[in-house]
Amino acid sequence: MIPLQELRRRLAEAREYKADWNSKAERLTELTLGLDPGQRVRKSVDEASTNYLLVNLTLKVASLVGAYRAAKVKIYGAPEQVAYWFNDYVKDVALYDVEDMLKDRFITGLGVMAIGSEDGRAFLYRVDPLHVWWSPRFGLRTPAWVIRRFYQGDVEMYEYWDADYHAVWTEERNRLVFCNSNPLGFIPVRFVPNFQVPRIDFPVGDVELAYPQQRLINEIRRSLLEQARRGQGF
């Protein structure tokens, strides 16, 4: 069993390690929609702004999701009905989670999927990359442990996985809900990084690379429209 104090220490260490990346990832999400910092919706439409970045991102994700929908998983060494069950009740049900995970990957540079179970039913689900942390010492590729934040009703909860233990605790109620042995023997969380450089733990997304070009296009369009309104030559 891992003491609650140790779980909190690991979370604090990982939060500090990942804080700068989280701030950048949150801003990239806003930039994808052309929002000012802290905004969640645009109250006006800029006629000189054409968001090719968002259009291309949407088309790219739609193409991959179409391939995901059409793909059928084969499970060797098991009865054929097991593969039918997996495709119909695990893979296909997770379609929208996979779509959101791919958007996370291209916008922030990191998509995260996890395996869960409830009442004997297995499922795949997307984890918000801003709400997941991993062991700084071992890094993203081979984490020694992973922590994710989630909500149960209005209560903020944290789930911890390593190869030996599975634990859940709540900061609000200051208690360890449970800490059991890990029945899987591995961490059921998979990171899907985008562009990555060896020895650098934090990946880069399409938006970070393409946004400067998007902004330049918008500035050119804005300048041309302003010249046209004034009836001036180019």
Side-chain angles (χ1 to χ4, degrees), residues 22-75:
N22 265 25
S23 296
K24 183 184 75 170
E26 190 167 7
R27 181 60 186 138
L28 287 171
T29 303
E30 295 168 343
L31 291 174
T32 304
L33 288 176
L35 300 175
D36 293 329
Q39 282 190 337
R40 288 296 173 265
V41 64
R42 294 184 69 173
K43 297 180 180 180
S44 61
V45 177
D46 185 354
E47 61 183 1
S49 175
T50 302
N51 198 336
Y52 295 114
L53 188 62
L54 181 58
V55 172
N56 288 332
L57 172 71
T58 303
L59 292 175
K60 187 174 184 177
V61 170
S63 175
L64 292 172
V65 168
Y68 174 87
R69 189 198 301 268
K72 296 299 178 185
V73 176
K74 295 181 179 180
I75 302 176

Side-chain angles (χ1 to χ4, degrees), residues 170-218:
T170 167
E171 292 287 333
E172 293 181 14
R173 296 177 181 175
N174 190 30
R175 69 184 180 93
L176 186 65
V177 178
F178 68 81
C179 183
N180 301 326
S181 60
N182 182 350
L184 299 173
F186 63 89
I187 300 172
V189 178
R190 289 294 175 265
F191 297 108
V192 187
N194 202 1
F195 300 106
Q196 198 169 24
V197 175
R199 298 190 301 277
I200 301 296
D201 213 19
F202 301 105
V204 173
D206 288 34
V207 169
E208 185 172 354
L209 299 179
Y211 177 72
Q213 289 76 27
Q214 173 71 66
R215 185 172 181 179
L216 180 60
I217 290 172
N218 289 343

